[in-house]
Amino acid sequence: MLPGMATPSIHPRPAQPAPLAAAISNAAPRQRNDACPGALRLHQADDGGLARIRVPGGVLQAAQAAALGEAAQRLGDGDLHLTSRGNLQLRGLAEDSGVRLAQLLDGAGLLPSPAHERVRNIVASPLSGLDGHGHLDIRDRLAELDRRLCGSEEASELSGRFLFAVDDGRGDVAALGADVTLVAVREGGTLLRVGADDDAGALHIADPADTQAAASEASAASAAAAAVTAAEVFLEAARQCGVRAWRVGELPITGGELAHRIAQRLGKTGQIQQILPSPPLPPLSAHGPAPGLIPAPTGPATALSVLAPLGRLTGHQWTLLARTAEQEGSGELRLTPWRGVVVPGLPPERAPAALAALDDAGLVTDPASPWRGVGACAGRPGCAKSLTDVRADAAAAATSGSVDGARALPVYWSGCERRCGHPRGDRVEVVAGTDGYGVTVVRGTGDVHPVPLSPHALHAPHSELAATVAAARDPRSTDDPHPTTTAHSR
């Protein structure tokens, strides 16, 4: 370590020695290479080619949004699909569209490094710098992390599933289970967390002792360098262990041991000034921005927050969002990991009318909307593994139920047991099986509570299924700690 550097403290518990850590690990090494789609590696789904475009932190300029809309219209099915990582997917692409798509994206500045385009998985607090919450505006950290990630030759070997998070201290994206998380600390500095499970490790990286105007840039550089180093150490550990790991939790060593290795690497390179004992994470809240108006605490600016029903934006909705950002706002869109979009920088007197126009276009603008918290996988006809058209069933249940979305548990509909894209934390899962839907309440602790139904509900109409799901979304739905009946409904 550097002279004067404090001994790093690992949170929540000291790392096990490597042999013991390997012995107690339940990690299951991957047996194949990562086939996660990207912008240059398309996945052939039942409804055509699928491209996943990484948008670090969800931040898009209006011109980039326009280019994406053009790509969807010219090459795909015309819609844009938001993912649970704040990225975008285009579907229905023709087999020969790959080159044209790459040219459009490159021209819009969305492919800064072709070798890294699948690993630019970064979620960031979408309201940072807009609503007065959090400890700092993390946009400079986000940009610096993306720049350094694309500049690391070693990091290009990460899987397309490895996830970074940059949290401004409010605890929103820190709750999303990233492999490497940067969290702004109230007292100053950055908490770097490695892993997301009980054996995760953490380091507190102090801000540089620079009081000049460049201090913010130096702090961003220090935090970003630490995050990229963490990813490089992860890859090194996987090679040393002889495993093919896509994410930190798949390594046969604890996050605490990994954090020790990261601290050693950082100390040798001199990338940071000091590592301090690690404070605890802020209270975690896996809830995204509520739809509606978001006034700034100071200054004449208002942001708009909307949700896309089931994460799907029509070409018209996307064009309207991009136009609103360009003509009314700051020229920026922020995509959220909760399948929403934030439009910053509107004059307060014009914001209500702009929000009303987005509502008229079919976007969710009411915090109490029953659509809030409703998600679903692709389902049929896009996915061959899906047993049914779950999106149609989810939409029917959302529109026929009486749910206060501001208070209800999130619900996620899956067409098969793989449950692709399901959220973390407390939620209701509606999973299609060969004999109907199973409805369960899952708590963040891992507790699963099947929802009992009457026997005749196996082939129930949508109204009965909607009522069952609505009842399960009530936060009080798990009063019985030991339910035993599994629910099925069509």
Side-chain angles (χ1 to χ4, degrees), residues 23 54 92 126 129 172 184 230 287 316 333 346 350 360 376 406 412 433 447 472:
R54 270 66 175 187
D172 55 354
H287 297 288
H316 170 66
L333 294 175
L346 280 78
R350 300 174 67 99
D360 291 341
Y412 195 79
D447 296 335

Side-chain angles (χ1 to χ4, degrees), residues 41-127:
R41 178 196 287 180
L42 306 187
H43 167 71
Q44 289 303 315
D46 273 21
D47 58 350
L50 180 152
R52 183 172 299 158
I53 297 122
R54 270 66 175 187
V55 185
V59 178
L60 282 173
Q61 300 305 311
Q64 293 176 318
L68 287 166
E70 179 184 357
Q73 291 290 337
R74 288 174 51 187
L75 307 176
D77 62 8
D79 295 336
L80 296 100
H81 304 259
L82 301 177
T83 77
S84 59
R85 293 183 168 190
N87 294 319
L88 281 168
Q89 290 185 165
L90 305 182
R91 302 187 69 99
L93 299 166
E95 290 186 8
D96 61 351
S97 64
V99 173
R100 288 179 292 166
L101 175 61
Q103 291 171 339
L104 279 170
L105 297 177
D106 186 50
L110 292 168
L111 288 178
S113 171
H116 296 79
E117 64 94 5
R118 291 193 317 124
V119 305
R120 298 171 70 217
N121 288 308
I122 309 173
V123 293
S125 300
L127 296 184

